[in-house]
Amino acid sequence: MPRCVLLLLFTLPLWSQSAAYDVIITGARVADGSGSPWYFADIGVRGDTIVAVGALGNAPAAARIDAHGMVVAPGFIDIHSHGRRGINAVPTAENYLREGVTTIVEGPDGSSPLPISTFLDGIRKLPISINFATFVGQGSIRQAVVGLVDRRATPEELEKMKAMAAQAMRDGAFGLSTGLFYVPGNFTPTEEVIELARVVGKLGGIHISHMREEAAHVLDSVRETIRIGEEGGLPTQITHHKTIGQPSWGRSVDSLKLVEEARARGVDVTIDQYPYTASSTGIAALVPQWALEGGQKSTSERLAAPEQRARIKAAIVQNLKVDRGAGDPKNVSIVNCQFDRTLAGKNLAQLTESRGQQATMENAAETVMDLVNKGGCSAVYHAIAEEDVVRIMRSPYTMIASDGDIPVFGQAAPHPRSYGTFARVLGVYVREKHVLTLEDAVRRMSSYPAQRLKIWDRGMLRPGMKADIIVFDPATVADRAEYDKPHQYSVGVRDVMVNGKFVLRQDKVTAERPGRVIPGPSANSASMVYTGLNSGSCGSRLPAIQRSV
Ligand SMILES: [Zn+2]
């Protein structure tokens, strides 16, 4: 408590200075991230901080940005990003800038580089346009300690994994991601995840899960994700929530009910989602998990053994029918194959026909096995119902996240979510379909993920917050990326400011690279100022202070 008071005394004089602003954004409707209705105000920025929100009149400013007719909002925070793919090649992350994203959070789906300190140090050395944060991947920890094998961890291994999770938190992670669908996460008993979750929770982290199964057993997976939060004693999040394959369409009614019931009994469970009816992951998602144990070499050996190959094929056929294939090989199209870049953009039916075969499920399964044998590919799967997308989006517990990465413009055939997620919500689901109000959509992309991550100085337009600010035209903001023409930037986001510097100005990418690594809640001693949500007497500005120490 005394520390709170001291910090306030120290910082208030800074805020009350009346020197010139570096930037004033004037005339726009303010959607401030809270979800409250928009209002008119000018935004004054000094250094990397918002210092005023209100009528600033003719106050002196180095730059005055006219934003009449536009909406000004906090920069969007993408809580599920694979941005480490591409951040080196494209440090501007232009796809993200043009949909209003100013912070990406990496390390999802159980996968992160290790150690986290080395990973983040590498990012710190890059001159990047947007902010960068990360989770630590449970699968990556298990791979390092146990390997890619289907067995329980020994007590010694478990202790080692817990120590690694704790170290990752001290290195700056925001929590533990799991990818229980993927090798080796799929070999992990729930109890083992809970052991790691307890460690991470004590250090202020959350759990975020690519669930064990998102098709026939999606409800069991939701129960497991809730259980990890409940028994692990930490907030838990269903990431990119969806229900895959026709037999599972409509199950979001029940999954949302499970979330509702869990919250009613005090489990802090939330959801994120991308606004598309197709998912994207490796082609191995069609292969039964037992066949993937041990990695590529072991998988190829199984494919070469006739009896095992037959079992693998039968399972792939089944997945093409009722899971990610959604009943037609046309529903699966290739993003990229390292071994043959010309396959990008082709679907499984076309690939099967190009082998001189009819595009039956059985023949398409042969094509899949061939691709897997050659090292695998990434793919897009059209197997989600629009009704589920809308229902999940309307849930009060859902925030928006891309699950995308940073594509090199023109290369491969990535899922359009990398270019379009946030603009698509504003264009299609706010303006056209009226699924969300504009203010609510902004909240689900800014203050809600910030609250989830306990990033207390971003995600809102308020004095004292970091100046991550976007200006967009609500009448034209739209995604342009399509499945068969993915390399198209979103439109309508005119200006993007990160840490007080414009990285996009009048639709043009600037030379500024103000992006920072945002450290997680246990990263350094400064963060210890944050003592939990109970310290109400410190006032709402306190958290904004601790990050700037
Ligand atoms: Zn995922």
Side-chain angles (χ1 to χ4, degrees), residues 303 309 339 355 365-376:
L303 287 170
R309 185 179 178 89
F339 60 87
R355 293 153 55 97
E366 290 288 342
T367 305
V368 170
M369 290 190 288
D370 184 47
L371 297 174
V372 168
N373 200 33
K374 286 176 174 158

Side-chain angles (χ1 to χ4, degrees), residues 13 15 68 99 119 136 138 158 160 189 197-198 212 242 247 260 292 337 348 356 405 446 497 518:
W15 285 338
H68 282 88
E99 50 185 321
F119 174 39
V136 62
Q138 177 269 336
L158 182 58
K160 204 167 171 197
R198 287 200 181 113
R212 209 174 277 277
K242 55 186 168 297
E260 196 79 52
L292 301 172
C337 305
L348 263 190
D405 59 15
S446 55
M497 176 183 274
I518 302 180

Side-chain angles (χ1 to χ4, degrees), residues 80 82 109 182 210 239-240 242 403:
H80 185 138
H82 296 272
D109 299 336
Y182 296 109
H210 178 134
T239 200
H240 53 50
K242 55 186 168 297
D403 194 11

Side-chain angles (χ1 to χ4, degrees), residues 54-71:
L56 301 182
N58 291 321
R64 189 173 294 272
I65 308 299
D66 181 1
H68 282 88
M70 311 290 272
V71 168

